[in-house]
PDB file of all heavy atoms in Angstrom:
ATOM      1  N   ALA A 100      -7.341  30.535  18.846  1.00  0.00           N
ATOM      2  CA  ALA A 100      -5.936  30.932  19.154  1.00  0.00           C
ATOM      3  C   ALA A 100      -5.286  31.336  17.860  1.00  0.00           C
ATOM      4  O   ALA A 100      -4.493  32.282  17.781  1.00  0.00           O
ATOM      5  CB  ALA A 100      -5.210  29.772  19.812  1.00  0.00           C
ATOM      6  N   LEU A 101      -5.524  30.642  16.817  1.00  0.00           N
ATOM      7  CA  LEU A 101      -4.844  30.959  15.527  1.00  0.00           C
ATOM      8  C   LEU A 101      -5.337  32.348  14.924  1.00  0.00           C
ATOM      9  O   LEU A 101      -4.529  33.164  14.438  1.00  0.00           O
ATOM     10  CB  LEU A 101      -5.252  29.821  14.446  1.00  0.00           C
ATOM     11  CG  LEU A 101      -4.715  30.037  13.008  1.00  0.00           C
ATOM     12  CD1 LEU A 101      -3.139  29.888  13.000  1.00  0.00           C
ATOM     13  CD2 LEU A 101      -5.355  28.923  12.137  1.00  0.00           C
ATOM     14  N   ASP A 102      -6.570  32.674  15.245  1.00  0.00           N
ATOM     15  CA  ASP A 102      -7.178  33.970  14.755  1.00  0.00           C
ATOM     16  C   ASP A 102      -6.403  35.079  15.487  1.00  0.00           C
ATOM     17  O   ASP A 102      -6.083  36.128  14.986  1.00  0.00           O
ATOM     18  CB  ASP A 102      -8.689  33.978  15.001  1.00  0.00           C
ATOM     19  CG  ASP A 102      -9.321  35.016  14.161  1.00  0.00           C
ATOM     20  OD1 ASP A 102      -8.699  35.599  13.245  1.00  0.00           O
ATOM     21  OD2 ASP A 102     -10.448  35.255  14.482  1.00  0.00           O
ATOM     22  N   GLN A 103      -6.160  34.890  16.860  1.00  0.00           N
ATOM     23  CA  GLN A 103      -5.535  35.907  17.564  1.00  0.00           C
ATOM     24  C   GLN A 103      -4.060  36.059  17.204  1.00  0.00           C
ATOM     25  O   GLN A 103      -3.573  37.155  17.118  1.00  0.00           O
ATOM     26  CB  GLN A 103      -5.574  35.495  19.073  1.00  0.00           C
ATOM     27  CG  GLN A 103      -6.896  35.449  19.721  1.00  0.00           C
ATOM     28  CD  GLN A 103      -6.989  34.976  21.124  1.00  0.00           C
ATOM     29  OE1 GLN A 103      -5.919  34.546  21.678  1.00  0.00           O
ATOM     30  NE2 GLN A 103      -8.113  35.057  21.841  1.00  0.00           N
ATOM     31  N   LEU A 104      -3.450  34.930  16.883  1.00  0.00           N
ATOM     32  CA  LEU A 104      -1.998  35.068  16.416  1.00  0.00           C
ATOM     33  C   LEU A 104      -1.901  35.856  15.077  1.00  0.00           C
ATOM     34  O   LEU A 104      -0.901  36.590  14.941  1.00  0.00           O
ATOM     35  CB  LEU A 104      -1.470  33.621  16.264  1.00  0.00           C
ATOM     36  CG  LEU A 104      -0.030  33.535  15.744  1.00  0.00           C
ATOM     37  CD1 LEU A 104       0.946  34.184  16.774  1.00  0.00           C
ATOM     38  CD2 LEU A 104       0.436  31.986  15.620  1.00  0.00           C
ATOM     39  N   ILE A 105      -2.822  35.455  14.188  1.00  0.00           N
ATOM     40  CA  ILE A 105      -2.761  36.184  12.805  1.00  0.00           C
ATOM     41  C   ILE A 105      -2.990  37.653  12.994  1.00  0.00           C
ATOM     42  O   ILE A 105      -2.233  38.481  12.447  1.00  0.00           O
ATOM     43  CB  ILE A 105      -3.826  35.654  11.941  1.00  0.00           C
ATOM     44  CG1 ILE A 105      -3.463  34.073  11.465  1.00  0.00           C
ATOM     45  CG2 ILE A 105      -4.047  36.494  10.651  1.00  0.00           C
ATOM     46  CD1 ILE A 105      -4.502  33.422  10.748  1.00  0.00           C
ATOM     47  N   LYS A 106      -3.892  38.028  13.858  1.00  0.00           N
ATOM     48  CA  LYS A 106      -4.189  39.429  14.120  1.00  0.00           C
ATOM     49  C   LYS A 106      -2.900  40.207  14.674  1.00  0.00           C
ATOM     50  O   LYS A 106      -2.604  41.329  14.326  1.00  0.00           O
ATOM     51  CB  LYS A 106      -5.363  39.716  15.012  1.00  0.00           C
ATOM     52  CG  LYS A 106      -6.593  39.339  14.301  1.00  0.00           C
ATOM     53  CD  LYS A 106      -7.884  39.505  15.260  1.00  0.00           C
ATOM     54  CE  LYS A 106      -9.243  39.136  14.624  1.00  0.00           C
ATOM     55  NZ  LYS A 106     -10.356  39.223  15.522  1.00  0.00           N
ATOM     56  N   ARG A 107      -2.233  39.477  15.656  1.00  0.00           N
ATOM     57  CA  ARG A 107      -1.005  40.144  16.245  1.00  0.00           C
ATOM     58  C   ARG A 107       0.141  40.165  15.255  1.00  0.00           C
ATOM     59  O   ARG A 107       0.863  41.252  15.267  1.00  0.00           O
ATOM     60  CB  ARG A 107      -0.551  39.259  17.421  1.00  0.00           C
ATOM     61  CG  ARG A 107       0.519  39.814  18.173  1.00  0.00           C
ATOM     62  CD  ARG A 107       0.777  39.033  19.549  1.00  0.00           C
ATOM     63  NE  ARG A 107       1.250  37.682  19.347  1.00  0.00           N
ATOM     64  CZ  ARG A 107       2.580  37.428  19.084  1.00  0.00           C
ATOM     65  NH1 ARG A 107       3.549  38.267  19.025  1.00  0.00           N
ATOM     66  NH2 ARG A 107       2.914  36.135  19.009  1.00  0.00           N
ATOM     67  N   LEU A 108       0.327  39.226  14.358  1.00  0.00           N
ATOM     68  CA  LEU A 108       1.489  39.277  13.501  1.00  0.00           C
ATOM     69  C   LEU A 108       1.140  40.187  12.211  1.00  0.00           C
ATOM     70  O   LEU A 108       2.082  40.554  11.496  1.00  0.00           O
ATOM     71  CB  LEU A 108       1.770  37.779  12.940  1.00  0.00           C
ATOM     72  CG  LEU A 108       2.261  36.900  13.982  1.00  0.00           C
ATOM     73  CD1 LEU A 108       2.466  35.551  13.374  1.00  0.00           C
ATOM     74  CD2 LEU A 108       3.602  37.289  14.706  1.00  0.00           C
ATOM     75  N   GLU A 109      -0.175  40.418  11.956  1.00  0.00           N
ATOM     76  CA  GLU A 109      -0.386  41.308  10.831  1.00  0.00           C
ATOM     77  C   GLU A 109       0.102  42.738  10.972  1.00  0.00           C
ATOM     78  O   GLU A 109       0.523  43.348   9.931  1.00  0.00           O
ATOM     79  CB  GLU A 109      -1.905  41.368  10.622  1.00  0.00           C
ATOM     80  CG  GLU A 109      -2.550  40.236   9.925  1.00  0.00           C
ATOM     81  CD  GLU A 109      -4.038  40.240   9.756  1.00  0.00           C
ATOM     82  OE1 GLU A 109      -4.587  41.008  10.580  1.00  0.00           O
ATOM     83  OE2 GLU A 109      -4.570  39.597   8.955  1.00  0.00           O
ATOM     84  N   VAL A 110       0.242  43.166  12.190  1.00  0.00           N
ATOM     85  CA  VAL A 110       0.822  44.555  12.423  1.00  0.00           C
ATOM     86  C   VAL A 110       2.303  44.575  12.479  1.00  0.00           C
ATOM     87  O   VAL A 110       2.929  45.695  12.599  1.00  0.00           O
ATOM     88  CB  VAL A 110       0.222  45.108  13.738  1.00  0.00           C
ATOM     89  CG1 VAL A 110      -1.332  45.279  13.546  1.00  0.00           C
ATOM     90  CG2 VAL A 110       0.564  44.286  14.794  1.00  0.00           C
ATOM     91  N   SER A 111       2.815  43.511  12.401  1.00  0.00           N
ATOM     92  CA  SER A 111       4.361  43.435  12.486  1.00  0.00           C
ATOM     93  C   SER A 111       5.006  43.767  11.162  1.00  0.00           C
ATOM     94  O   SER A 111       4.461  43.516  10.081  1.00  0.00           O
ATOM     95  CB  SER A 111       4.835  41.966  12.962  1.00  0.00           C
ATOM     96  OG  SER A 111       6.251  41.794  12.874  1.00  0.00           O
ATOM     97  N   SER A 112       6.177  44.337  11.261  1.00  0.00           N
ATOM     98  CA  SER A 112       6.987  44.786  10.050  1.00  0.00           C
ATOM     99  C   SER A 112       8.055  43.775   9.658  1.00  0.00           C
ATOM    100  O   SER A 112       8.692  43.969   8.621  1.00  0.00           O
ATOM    101  CB  SER A 112       7.464  46.182  10.113  1.00  0.00           C
ATOM    102  OG  SER A 112       8.405  46.213  11.265  1.00  0.00           O
ATOM    103  N   CYS A 113       8.220  42.783  10.469  1.00  0.00           N
ATOM    104  CA  CYS A 113       9.176  41.748  10.258  1.00  0.00           C
ATOM    105  C   CYS A 113       8.944  40.875   9.084  1.00  0.00           C
ATOM    106  O   CYS A 113       7.679  40.503   8.930  1.00  0.00           O
ATOM    107  CB  CYS A 113       9.439  40.846  11.566  1.00  0.00           C
ATOM    108  SG  CYS A 113      10.710  39.581  11.436  1.00  0.00           S
ATOM    109  N   LYS A 114       9.919  40.606   8.250  1.00  0.00           N
ATOM    110  CA  LYS A 114       9.563  39.766   7.101  1.00  0.00           C
ATOM    111  C   LYS A 114       9.254  38.362   7.422  1.00  0.00           C
ATOM    112  O   LYS A 114       8.404  37.759   6.721  1.00  0.00           O
ATOM    113  CB  LYS A 114      10.876  39.742   6.142  1.00  0.00           C
ATOM    114  CG  LYS A 114      10.725  39.102   4.758  1.00  0.00           C
ATOM    115  CD  LYS A 114      11.936  39.162   3.963  1.00  0.00           C
ATOM    116  CE  LYS A 114      11.657  38.528   2.599  1.00  0.00           C
ATOM    117  NZ  LYS A 114      11.228  37.092   2.637  1.00  0.00           N
TER     118      LYS A 114
END
Side-chain angles (χ1 to χ4, degrees):
L101 179 64
D102 202 11
Q103 294 175 356
L104 178 59
I105 291 173
K106 289 179 180 178
R107 183 170 68 82
L108 295 179
E109 278 178 339
V110 297
S111 175
S112 58
C113 180
K114 187 178 181 303

